[in-house]
Amino acid sequence: MYSFQTSEVEISGLVHPDYRRSGLFTHLLQLAAGEAETRRIPKLVFIAPRSSSGAGPFVKKIAGYAYSEYVMELLHEGRPEAAAGADKVGIRPAGPADKELLIRLNQDGFQMTREDAAYYVESTLAKNNDNHTFIAEAGGEPIGKIGLILLGDTAMIIGFVIAPELRGRGYGRAVLFRTIRHIRQSLGCKIIKLGVAAANDHALGLYRSCGFEVTDANDYYECGTSSYSYA
């Protein structure tokens, strides 16, 4: 269970092959739904990787399709001209003084309510060696933010937003290249991934220009916590 908003919780799970088809996952799912209801979280979001033959058919029985995301991995260096602006921007660790800025960026970038954006900011700013939030700057002024989750030798780029009034100026590509450089030089991760909405053609083009390619996809399904039942 992963909740980065007060209004929903993401659920994913796995049962050892030796114990499948025994009702174990259904029982775990009922426990998770009960916990979400106790916390007054109204929506359950289920993540079904397309690479899993069993996830999709199972989830379709209990929830409705919502949207899809591609998983992209950095597989080549990207177009040389795309990296030209990386030296014109910088990234620095976010701190408590950046809370209001981060709330506004999350509201603008992900259509969050202020309550959900504040909840997300509090959780990502909490001390966690595997979760990093950075403020992107140009000329000493904030232009956006970007986050990282570290899992072994893999860095997952998350929560990437450029301020709406500054979009279309090449800052997104520059910040992305600057972040890739930081991951390689300072964090030593060998694998760099990110997720992007399958319907977001602009973002897909941006990431491909930086060397990312689609390697998998996740389908998201939703249902109300109180109405959860297994058919």
Side-chain angles (χ1 to χ4, degrees):
M1 296 177 66
Y2 177 62
S3 177
F4 58 89
Q5 301 185 49
T6 59
S7 57
E8 64 183 44
V9 60
E10 293 185 357
I11 296 178
S12 60
L14 182 68
V15 174
H16 189 283
D18 292 347
Y19 297 94
R20 291 174 185 170
R21 301 187 183 279
S22 64
L24 178 59
F25 189 80
T26 299
H27 178 62
L28 292 173
L29 202 50
Q30 290 169 340
L31 291 175
E35 179 64 23
E37 193 164 15
T38 299
R39 299 184 188 184
R40 298 183 179 180
I41 299 174
K43 185 193 299 182
L44 304 179
V45 179
F46 300 92
I47 306 170
R50 290 186 190 171
S51 56
S52 169
S53 60
F58 178 87
V59 174
K60 287 177 182 177
K61 296 179 181 179
I62 59 176
Y65 173 79
Y67 60 94
S68 297
E69 283 189 350
Y70 290 129
V71 178
M72 304 186 78
E73 183 176 342
L74 186 65
L75 297 179
H76 53 85
E77 295 303 313
R79 299 198 304 267
E81 66 273 18
D87 291 330
K88 299 179 181 179
V89 300
I91 58 172
R92 62 168 176 81
D98 300 305
K99 182 177 177 180
E100 284 301 318
L101 170 64
L102 291 169
I103 289 173
R104 290 197 304 273
L105 289 170
N106 280 305
Q107 286 182 281
D108 290 331
F110 304 111
Q111 293 74 54
M112 289 182 174
T113 65
R114 179 176 174 83
E115 181 183 15
D116 280 344
Y119 179 85
Y120 179 72
V121 170
E122 290 287 354
S123 65
T124 53
L125 286 182
K127 288 186 177 181
N128 185 333
N129 293 332
D130 297 327
N131 196 321
H132 303 256
T133 301
F134 298 93
I135 301 297
E137 296 181 327
E141 296 296 324
I143 59 172
K145 63 106 177 179
I146 193 165
L148 297 175
I149 294 178
L150 306 183
L151 301 168
D153 63 353
T154 299
M156 189 77 181
I157 295 174
I158 62 168
F160 182 24
V161 181
I162 296 296
E165 68 274 13
L166 299 174
R167 292 170 191 167
R169 304 185 187 183
Y171 284 129
R173 187 172 287 107
V175 171
L176 190 57
F177 266 104
R178 182 67 184 81
T179 304
I180 291 169
R181 184 187 301 170
H182 174 74
I183 292 170
R184 287 173 166 170
Q185 295 179 354
S186 301
L187 302 178
C189 293
K190 298 179 181 178
I191 302 170
I192 303 175
K193 295 184 177 184
L194 53 79
V196 58
N200 193 338
D201 291 335
H202 176 76
L204 281 166
L206 167 65
Y207 298 144
R208 285 192 170 113
S209 75
C210 295
F212 288 87
E213 297 294 343
V214 174
T215 57
D216 201 353
N218 293 320
D219 296 319
Y220 288 73
Y221 296 80
E222 299 176 350
C223 73
T225 301
S226 60
S227 63
Y228 168 78
S229 64
Y230 178 67

